[in-house]
C-alpha cells in the first residue's frame, strides 16, 4: 500500500493513506496485516501489535507473519470474538 512505502521512506504522511485503506477495507486481513507492518516501520509498536491482532482475527496466518521482518518480533494484541 501507499502508506507502507511512505513509512519505509520515513515520511510522516503515511497515516492519511493508511486511514483511507482501513476505511475502505476494515475487515480485510491483508489490509490489516499491512497496517501492522506500516505502524511497525513507523515505530508505533503498540498500534502495530493491535493491528496484528486484528489481522490474525481476520485470517492472516502465522506463516505470513513470519515472512515479514517487521512483524515477526511483535506480540499481537488478542482480539475478542465478535
Amino acid at each position: 500500500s501507499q502508506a507502507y512505502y511512505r513509512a519505509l521512506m520515513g515520511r510522516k504522511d503515511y497515516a492519511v493513506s493508511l486511514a483511507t485503506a482501513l476505511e475502505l477495507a476494515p475487515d480485510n486481513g491483508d489490509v490489516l496485516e499491512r497496517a501492522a507492518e506500516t505502524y511497525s516501520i513507523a515505530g508505533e509498536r503498540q498500534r502495530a501489535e493491535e493491528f496484528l491482532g486484528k489481522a490474525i482475527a481476520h485470517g492472516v496466518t502465522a506463516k505470513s507473519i513470519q515472512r515479514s521482518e517487521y512483524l515477526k518480533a511483535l506480540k499481537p494484541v488478542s482480539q475478542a470474538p465478535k
Side-chain angles (χ1 to χ4, degrees):
S1 75
Q2 189 178 47
Y4 173 85
Y5 292 105
R6 286 181 177 183
L8 280 174
M9 293 186 303
R11 292 177 55 173
K12 302 296 179 193
D13 63 347
Y14 71 88
V16 174
S17 54
L18 183 56
T20 301
L22 291 167
E23 192 174 301
L24 293 171
D27 296 323
N28 182 300
D30 294 330
V31 172
L32 295 165
E33 180 181 25
R34 188 50 66 112
E37 287 179 308
T38 303
Y39 282 123
S40 180
I41 292 164
E44 295 189 45
R45 186 180 182 102
Q46 184 176 353
R47 298 233 32 211
E49 290 176 342
E50 289 172 17
F51 277 92
L52 183 55
K54 290 178 183 183
I56 291 167
H58 286 86
V60 172
T61 65
K63 184 176 182 179
S64 178
I65 293 164
Q66 288 302 308
R67 282 192 295 237
S68 171
E69 66 181 283
Y70 305 110
L71 297 179
K72 58 187 171 187
L74 297 178
K75 293 178 175 60
V77 174
S78 219
Q79 299 298 307
K82 293 181 180 182

